[in-house]
Amino acid sequence: MNSAIPVSVDAGRAGLRLDDDWPLRWSVEWRTGEERVSRTVRELGQVPMVNSDPIR
């Protein structure tokens, strides 16, 4: 089983451009079976990801 380790992002926040359109610029990629799926951060709320594995 994969486990997540909580890490603070405060140290790196100063170098990030977090203006209003960042959820459209940043994307997330994961795998469902053999298929790779990529979406913008803004689209994540509309995507079922229960049976998917993260890709780094």
Side-chain angles (χ1 to χ4, degrees):
M1 179 202 297
N2 294 335
S3 60
I5 300 172
V7 176
S8 173
V9 296
D10 289 335
R13 186 178 296 263
L16 299 175
R17 210 175 83 205
L18 296 174
D19 48 14
D20 290 340
D21 69 339
W22 77 266
L24 291 172
R25 291 192 322 268
W26 293 15
S27 64
V28 178
E29 186 175 301
W30 65 94
R31 186 184 324 248
T32 302
E34 294 297 316
E35 180 184 7
R36 284 184 158 198
V37 182
S38 179
R39 297 287 187 268
T40 65
V41 170
R42 178 164 286 169
E43 295 172 310
L44 285 179
Q46 304 166 2
V47 178
M49 297 180 9
V50 174
N51 295 321
S52 59
D53 296 322
I55 300 174
R56 292 183 181 93

